[in-house]
Amino acid sequence: MTKALNHMPATMPVDADDSLASPLDNSWAHVSGWGFRTGRRRTVSCVIPCRNQGPQLDALLPLLSDLLTEGGYPWELIALDCASADNTTHVLTDWSRVAGVRWKQLPAAANMALQFATGLSLARGDAVIFIDPTLPHPASLIPSMLLQWEAEAKLVYAVRSEATGVSLLMHWNANTLQAHHEGRPAFSLPPGVIALSLMDRTLVDLLRWRR
């Protein structure tokens, strides 16, 4: 799924929209009392583009819900189904009964750029995580990604070491983001960001503004 985003430009297709297929409320999962006490009421969205990946989602969604709950932030999961012909819709319909889980049906012709843009449009979180359900990088990296975000990273993304084959985390801080953006009519995100990445709301809003 990641090849189409190896050179993902930071511009969004004009036909991305923010409507949802699933009849859901706007609740978040795991609304933390700790957040209210400390005043840090930040939230996390997790976007999962998928096509004919029902079995992978059946295994991944429980894992993600546990990882995000352990992170301590109110969270939402948003699945983007590209006209799947397997049991993906059944899996997502079942999960949409869980607080914080939403999904949207995209047309079969939806490419990676449209999936990416739609995810950014739908996500409400202060941090937005993208994850490929085929897991080219392990979901277990998410807690470390959240820690880097708490340390003010604006983009955290996974890359695979050519030497060891192990997934490593890279990040952009505010200065890096400014250097990529300032004075340029367009800029490119790192290769394969849709495979596993976390974007701060600052970057999400910048990407949506550049549509």
Side-chain angles (χ1 to χ4, degrees), residues 7-139:
H7 301 285
M8 171 64 72
T11 55
M12 300 294 105
V14 295
D15 53 349
D17 67 79
D18 57 2
S19 60
L20 282 162
S22 45
L24 302 167
D25 60 25
N26 290 320
S27 63
W28 294 84
H30 184 64
V31 179
S32 172
W34 176 85
F36 283 94
R37 181 177 178 182
T38 62
R40 297 181 63 190
R41 304 181 203 175
R42 297 201 290 179
T43 55
V44 175
S45 300
C46 185
V47 179
I48 313 168
C50 54
R51 188 194 307 265
N52 294 326
Q53 289 163 323
Q56 291 93 332
L57 290 170
D58 209 23
L60 178 60
L61 291 173
L63 174 61
L64 287 176
S65 66
D66 286 348
L67 288 171
L68 293 170
T69 298
E70 290 167 6
Y73 295 100
W75 56 264
E76 64 177 359
L77 284 169
I78 302 170
L80 304 175
D81 177 32
C82 298
S84 293
D86 66 349
N87 69 331
T88 293
T89 299
H90 177 74
V91 172
L92 296 178
T93 299
D94 282 348
W95 269 88
S96 68
R97 299 185 178 96
V98 176
V101 179
R102 309 187 290 158
W103 69 282
K104 178 179 177 64
Q105 185 78 60
L106 296 180
N111 58 21
M112 279 294 175
L114 179 58
Q115 294 174 46
F116 185 69
T118 303
L120 292 180
S121 296
L122 291 172
R124 302 172 296 163
D126 297 298
V128 179
I129 297 169
F130 279 86
I131 186 167
D132 183 333
T134 64
L135 297 181
H137 305 288

Side-chain angles (χ1 to χ4, degrees), residues 3 42 52 148 154 157 165 196:
K3 290 183 179 179
R42 297 201 290 179
N52 294 326
Q148 293 196 31
K154 302 305 179 186
Y157 60 100
L196 182 62

